[in-house]
Amino acid sequence: MITSTHNPLVQRIRALQTRRREREREGRFILEGVRLLEEACAARVGLEAVLHVPDLDPRSVAALAAAERAGARPVPVTPAVLRACADTETPAGLLAIAELPVPTPPTDPRAVVVLDGLADPGNVGTLLRTAAAAGLDAVYLAPGTVDAYSPKVVRAALGAHFRVPVLTFDWAEPPAAWSALRLYVAEMDQGPAYDSVDWRAPAGLIVGAEAPGASAAARAAAISAVHIPMPGGAESLNAAVAGSVIIFELARQRRTT
């Protein structure tokens, strides 16, 4: 059992939690809690090791056993050591070192979402979860968007990383597969209402950061803005809510064709 917070494995995990460069260098990221471990096992994600405290509940015991069968090394630790490794203040009893997924870019995407400069990890994680739930072909992250594998994004996405390709790109060289897509950018009070747009043809939604909105490059790539009418008089919706509303309208139209 690891009892010291100065243990090299603990220091390595802290580096993976806090530094994007370390995650990219090692090709590893951190999963916290039983739900994410279950999702990783179901998706057959490579698991290097699973730190766990004594006296796990039955669900966590089962998840740890599944991870072991998949090749993960169980590492017993004290609660204090787990707290030192975790990004949360009151961590659950499990924490895993997982391989970064290697997403396959879609060659003929029909429905995608583009996150342009979103810095809030909760919004990014929520939109990843929404995109996976709606069956989108991919999520693209433009420059300035928070790292998809930062701890808060991973927790908010609840396993979406394993169900939808998450890809980075630069506006100077957008993916060639976008050539058939009609891109729309979500804007306040600009363009047609989101539910008057025909989303059945290959399309993509660009969601920009809340305060500055979408970048000039994103606006230039879009064929039109779209907006969400708000008869209740609210000033705005946050990026995750607005993006989710439009994504599920896109999914509804495609489901009914």
Side-chain angles (χ1 to χ4, degrees):
M1 176 179 287
I2 296 178
T3 60
S4 171
T5 57
H6 299 292
N7 182 280
L9 181 60
V10 175
Q11 300 305 309
R12 177 181 168 222
I13 289 171
R14 288 305 305 159
L16 289 171
Q17 290 275 43
T18 57
R19 301 175 198 161
R20 179 175 187 166
R21 182 178 300 177
E22 288 300 314
R23 291 191 289 270
E24 292 175 345
R25 185 182 69 81
E26 285 207 32
R28 300 287 189 274
F29 73 116
I30 303 300
L31 303 172
E32 292 188 39
V34 63
R35 171 73 179 274
L36 282 173
L37 185 58
E38 290 170 341
E39 292 278 355
C41 290
R44 299 184 179 180
V45 173
L47 296 169
E48 177 185 329
V50 181
L51 278 62
H52 64 91
V53 297
D55 302 321
L56 293 172
D57 61 72
R59 181 180 175 184
S60 296
V61 169
L64 178 61
E68 286 189 70
R69 290 193 297 271
R73 174 170 58 98
V75 181
V77 300
T78 63
V81 167
L82 194 72
R83 285 194 298 273
C85 292
D87 184 67
T88 53
E89 292 185 8
T90 55
L94 298 168
L95 183 149
I97 304 173
E99 295 178 2
L100 283 174
V102 180
T104 301
T107 56
D108 184 27
R110 310 290 291 178
V112 306
V113 64
V114 182
L115 308 186
D116 183 56
L118 270 68
D120 183 275
N123 281 341
V124 171
T126 298
L127 285 165
L128 291 179
R129 188 177 177 186
T130 299
L136 267 57
D137 296 314
V139 178
Y140 291 91
L141 309 183
T145 300
V146 68
D147 178 23
Y149 294 94
S150 68
K152 290 181 175 63
V153 174
V154 172
R155 289 200 302 276
L158 278 178
H161 295 79
F162 312 137
R163 296 192 295 275
V164 63
V166 181
L167 304 153
T168 58
F169 77 103
D170 194 294
W171 286 114
E173 192 174 353
W178 286 12
S179 59
L181 293 177
R182 296 186 300 178
L183 295 177
Y184 296 87
V185 59
E187 296 274 18
M188 281 289 298
D189 301 320
Q190 295 186 41
Y194 76 101
D195 53 358
S196 69
V197 170
D198 184 355
W199 296 101
R200 293 170 296 178
L205 172 68
I206 302 169
V207 181
E210 287 186 31
S215 64
R219 291 188 176 99
I223 64 167
S224 174
V226 294
H227 77 279
I228 300 173
M230 290 184 282
E235 180 181 350
S236 65
L237 298 172
N238 78 18
V241 172
S244 296
V245 167
I246 301 173
I247 287 168
F248 272 103
E249 172 61 17
L250 179 156
R252 184 195 68 80
Q253 290 189 22
R254 298 185 65 81
R255 190 175 65 250
T256 56
T257 56

